Amino acid sequence: MSGSSGSKKDRQRAARERLQAEREAAARKAKVRGRVLVSAAIVSSLALVGGVAWYVTQPTADAAAAEGPLVRPAHTTGKDGVVVPYGKAGSEHVLTVWLDPRCPYCAGAETGLGRTMKQQADDGEYRIEYHFATFLDGSLGGKGSKRALNALGAAVNESPEKFMEYMNVLYANHPEKESDDKFGSTATLLELADKVDGLRTPAFNKAVKELTYMPWVEKVSQQFYEQDINGTPTFLIDGKKIQVNSGKGIESISPEQFTELVGENIK
């Protein structure tokens, strides 16, 4: 009986944590939208008009890069390339994954299940479609989510395999706290790219340093709000949401539990 009671308590705790995460994500979404509205009203110059001085902020390098021409990374799909697929295009089933590069729970999911998902996609059990959010930059301040996503765009432009390897490296070297803007450092992103054989091509280096894919990052990020996803990580198999967090901090369920869960929910 004690084991059954403990299991029930674990499920209840996991449900409470999930609900809290969804509430926090909704609050973040509202906050980010508010900041977008505010920033849209800011003029990026210091001007004197009709004898009145208007003191305004200058655009950051990241904001300026986001206003550049849209460059869509190779090997992406969907309108404007907002989806990063991995696996066989003709797979009958689709595993949809939503992640924020700064999210520690996403790190738990990727480090716990990433290799299993890759192997299952390689085996043709399903195709993975990665979507990304960057709301933590807006809610906590910083630029790590968007800069990491820009670097992931540069990686997928090299190949889907390089993308998968680099994403695994990023999450394996994830900051412990969301508030740590570790991935806001270009030097850090390039240093971590050294861990992926053959990734540091001139094209990759240039894209990371010059923020080439920032307009694409904005397109990808916007999908998080348009699809009304409440938080990250969010996993769906054939459109049906599955829970991959164990309820024990950021730890994911085991690969065996994940495999069983996917099997139960495949149409």
Side-chain angles (χ1 to χ4, degrees), residues 28-42:
R28 289 169 181 150
K29 180 161 55 174
K31 193 169 185 179
V32 171
R33 282 176 171 164
R35 291 190 178 193
V36 169
L37 291 174
V38 171
S39 63
I42 296 177

Side-chain angles (χ1 to χ4, degrees), residues 134 145-146 149-150 213-222:
T134 58
S145 289
K146 289 187 176 181
L149 183 50
N150 174 75
Y213 295 109
M214 274 300 186
W216 172 77
V217 167
E218 295 297 328
K219 296 285 187 181
V220 174
S221 303
Q222 188 59 31

